Amino acid sequence: MGKRWRWGVILDAGSSGTRLHIYRWQDPAKALKDASYQELHSLPSIATKEKWTKKIRPGISTFGDHPEDVGPDHLQELVEQALRVIPDDKHADTPIFLMATAGMRLLPPLQQRAVITETCSYFRANTRFFLPDCDTHIQVIPGETEGLYGWIAANYLLGGFDDPEGHAHGKNHHTYGFLDMGGASAQIAFAPNATVAEQHGDDLKLLRLRSLNGAPKEYKVFTSTWLGFGVNQARHRYVDALVNEFLIDGEHEVPDPCLPRGLRTTEKGEIVKGKSNKLELVGTGQFDECLRRTHPLLGKDVPCDDEPCLLNGQHVPPIDFDVNHFVGVSEYWHTTHGVFADSRDDTAYDFNTYQKKVLEFCSRRWEDIEMNSGTRKKDHGKDAQEACFKASWLISVLHEGIGIPRLGIEHTQTPGFNISKGVGEAAKEKGFLSPFQAADEIDSVEISWTLGKMVLYAAGQVPPKDNYRLPVGFGSNVKGVPSDFQHAGSNYNATSAIDDDDDWADTAEDIIDHAKSNSTSVFFLFILVFLFIAFFLRKRDRRMRLYGKFNHILRRRRRPGSPRKVSLGLSSLTHKLFGRSSYNYERVLEEGDINQFELGETSSDEGDYSDSSSGAPRLGRSSGLATPKLNAGSFDDPKKHAHPGSAMDRSGLVVRTESRERLFPQMLNAGRRSRAASPTRLKSPLMSPLSEN
């Protein structure tokens, strides 16, 4: 029932802040041993928890002028969180990544390199996490790579990779497209149908994953990014166009059809109250006009050098919306399920319904909107005043830019294709038949590009089949390993041994986490009884080792400065289970003066679980935003080193200690002769060498 875990740490360094993500998956050697048929043909199972994420502001791009401060003033809080969560003995095998996106892309190259260098130095000086190469683990990633990671994450969570038949959309297609929009840029990633992929092969990336049985999973994916097409950058361009067209000399007011009627703001979106001579945007609440004025921002008039193009003259292969069903995250989710959502909403995006809500909201006066108590809070008020422009921009990008059909208005089926029969059973049951659907979480797991990166890394740890030795990663769409191939960064050297006691320690920790969130004491009592019985069925030496590891968990969870009631309270029990020597040994270590002891280099099972230098308590699946979550029901069904050495005291004398209880009684008064030369010790059949654990 146990698992041996692998861990991964990745920091998403965005423009507004840096977010820590911690992921965990089963070691391939252990997973292969217990895997079912379905699991053997699936990608490694990645797990996360909400408390394994943490975000701090602002972004690391703000340290461009003083990169030496990025560690202590920014990264330290996130590093401490990771050290608390991940077991000490796992740190050396845990990769750490920091990947920066839009904000860092705007910095000059010299500032980028300075921040990246300081970040890597800080990680190496303050952690033992696996960081062999700064250039691959700490970097500013292109928007196309960000989009590809997002595509992996979405299809991983939806089940498009592991259940092709259940997610068949027709034409032998079973993956989903991915759309992402932030404040500065927007990304698109999708796998074209077979015909388009053949015609536009040079435009595609070849992505190679690996299922648990070692077989490759290959996909040809198109990915692109539009810089300046995030909502904030689009708003700046929109306001500049309004001012250039409507500002009259001597005046300071400019009409803004994308603001609710009566709302007055500055160019930066700050609400203006009272009279002012500064430039003001005055809301007129005309959403139709708002739509008309956002359309030119798409850049549809920019020359297209390589047909076809979508936005800003950038080439994108033809999209077959019969089989390419897109998942939109970030602003696509917030703009459709934020201000305009209510309790009666279905999770699916419906153009007609959405547009009616937007028209009704954006035609209201700002005073009426303010009456809503939710807008009195700063964040909600900001969302309300920006909602109309964001809705207009989203509609323009989706339907006029990318070309996603308006569900219920435009025909989406190819002749002779019955979508109700062409899709797989999972799609028919779950209802994800539309060309677009916004999402934030799937089964309580956030759709984040960081997950895609970690899926790629975990897949690289799986041993390949003999006939399939090509590496995991992505690059140009050519056979073999192209020159620009980006490896997953991992290898498939499995751990040499699997210790079941690790499994029990992990299981115990998970149960403690569950008990904290479960108010049913009867259930918790049942679990404790079950573990107690199973504990006694194990061999005595294993019980001893397991107790040390379980006690380590409790010590990590105890708040700093709190008494050691747990360890001392179990004294009588541990005396009966393990003997007096085990208890006395632990008590000396906990209560004695550490300066009284000088131990040589030894290796023991308990040593593998020593406390971290941080001294912080260890924390115990979802990293989601505080927005309504979307269940999968809305989609398709988706070393140890033995070094006995000699123990030396400070004077260089050999110190030999041994528990009197382990010696044969006759030997207690055997004189002061060297024990090593004792024939009794060497020949007595009742004596055995002390085993090294």
Side-chain angles (χ1 to χ4, degrees), residues 447-597:
I447 308 174
S448 169
W449 64 263
T450 59
L451 173 61
K453 168 61 181 177
M454 208 53 67
V455 168
L456 196 70
Y457 188 92
Q461 290 187 334
V462 178
K465 283 187 174 181
D466 293 337
N467 296 330
Y468 303 96
R469 310 295 294 186
L470 292 175
V472 171
F474 61 93
S476 298
N477 183 26
V478 297
K479 293 182 178 181
V481 182
S483 58
D484 63 349
F485 190 83
Q486 297 190 38
H487 294 260
S490 53
N491 57 61
Y492 44 86
N493 292 329
T495 53
S496 59
I498 300 298
D499 190 348
D500 290 340
D501 289 338
D502 285 341
D503 303 342
W504 280 74
D506 289 332
T507 302
E509 181 180 8
D510 290 339
I511 290 175
I512 291 174
D513 288 337
H514 180 77
K516 286 182 176 180
S517 61
N518 193 325
S519 60
T520 307
S521 59
V522 176
F523 173 80
F524 185 41
L525 180 60
F526 171 78
I527 294 297
L528 287 178
V529 172
F530 172 78
L531 285 179
F532 191 73
I533 295 174
F535 179 77
F536 269 96
L537 294 178
R538 300 172 71 80
K539 294 181 179 180
R540 181 172 178 175
D541 60 336
R542 287 187 175 270
R543 291 203 305 266
M544 184 185 302
R545 291 158 57 189
L546 180 58
Y547 166 75
K549 294 177 181 181
F550 183 71
N551 192 38
H552 169 73
I553 294 173
L554 297 178
R555 290 201 304 270
R556 287 171 63 93
R557 291 175 175 272
R558 187 178 61 249
R559 295 181 179 180
S562 63
R564 300 177 179 268
K565 294 181 179 180
V566 173
S567 178
L568 296 179
L570 293 175
S571 60
S572 61
L573 178 60
T574 55
H575 170 68
K576 295 178 180 179
L577 292 176
F578 311 126
R580 182 179 303 275
S581 61
S582 66
Y583 167 67
N584 288 342
Y585 181 67
E586 183 178 5
R587 185 183 182 94
V588 168
L589 285 182
E590 291 192 358
E591 298 183 357
D593 184 355
I594 192 169
N595 294 324
Q596 299 173 2
F597 304 95

Side-chain angles (χ1 to χ4, degrees), residues 15 102-103 105-106 181-187 226-234:
S15 57
R105 294 176 197 143
L106 300 176
M181 183 185 291
S185 62
Q187 288 81 35
W226 293 288
L227 295 176
F229 280 69
V231 289
N232 296 336
Q233 290 295 318

Side-chain angles (χ1 to χ4, degrees), residues 656-659 662-663 681 687-693:
R656 185 180 183 98
T657 62
E658 192 170 61
S659 175
R662 292 184 62 97
L663 295 177
R681 180 175 181 86
M687 296 301 295
S688 60
L690 295 178
S691 60
E692 290 183 6
N693 290 328

Side-chain angles (χ1 to χ4, degrees), residues 168-242:
H169 306 142
K171 304 178 183 179
N172 197 29
H173 199 280
H174 56 86
T175 61
Y176 298 84
F178 176 75
L179 296 173
D180 193 1
M181 183 185 291
S185 62
Q187 288 81 35
I188 184 173
F190 66 98
N193 65 32
T195 302
V196 175
E198 183 70 23
Q199 297 172 347
H200 295 264
D202 294 341
D203 300 329
L204 309 181
K205 293 289 186 182
L206 177 63
L207 169 68
R208 186 181 299 114
L209 300 169
R210 190 179 292 147
S211 57
L212 197 57
N213 64 358
K217 290 177 178 281
E218 293 187 351
Y219 304 90
K220 298 177 181 180
V221 185
F222 175 84
T223 178
S224 185
T225 185
W226 293 288
L227 295 176
F229 280 69
V231 289
N232 296 336
Q233 290 295 318
R235 174 72 181 173
H236 291 328
R237 294 192 285 131
Y238 166 81
V239 171
D240 288 344
L242 280 182

Side-chain angles (χ1 to χ4, degrees), residues 51-164:
K51 59 184 176 181
W52 293 356
T53 67
K54 186 180 185 67
K55 184 174 183 178
I56 58 175
R57 299 175 183 273
I60 64 172
S61 58
T62 58
F63 292 87
D65 295 327
H66 48 105
E68 66 278 0
D69 297 329
V70 70
D73 294 351
H74 186 73
L75 300 173
Q76 181 176 348
E77 187 175 353
L78 301 178
V79 166
E80 289 176 348
Q81 172 77 352
L83 293 175
R84 285 193 291 266
V85 172
I86 301 174
D88 301 342
D89 62 318
K90 305 293 185 182
H91 289 185
D93 293 327
T94 298
I96 186 169
F97 298 91
L98 182 142
M99 296 188 168
T101 55
M104 285 284 284
R105 294 176 197 143
L106 300 176
L107 288 184
L110 288 179
Q111 290 190 352
Q112 286 187 26
R113 173 50 55 186
V115 173
I116 291 300
T117 301
E118 287 292 334
T119 297
C120 188
S121 297
Y122 184 82
F123 286 160
R124 285 180 166 171
N126 293 274
T127 77
R128 294 183 294 108
F129 291 136
F130 182 63
L131 182 49
D133 182 12
C134 286
D135 291 338
T136 57
H137 281 240
I138 316 295
Q139 59 174 300
V140 180
I141 61 173
E144 291 83 359
T145 301
E146 183 182 353
L148 181 61
Y149 288 156
W151 184 86
I152 296 173
N155 283 279
Y156 175 81
L157 291 175
L158 286 169
F161 291 145
D162 297 337
D163 185 18

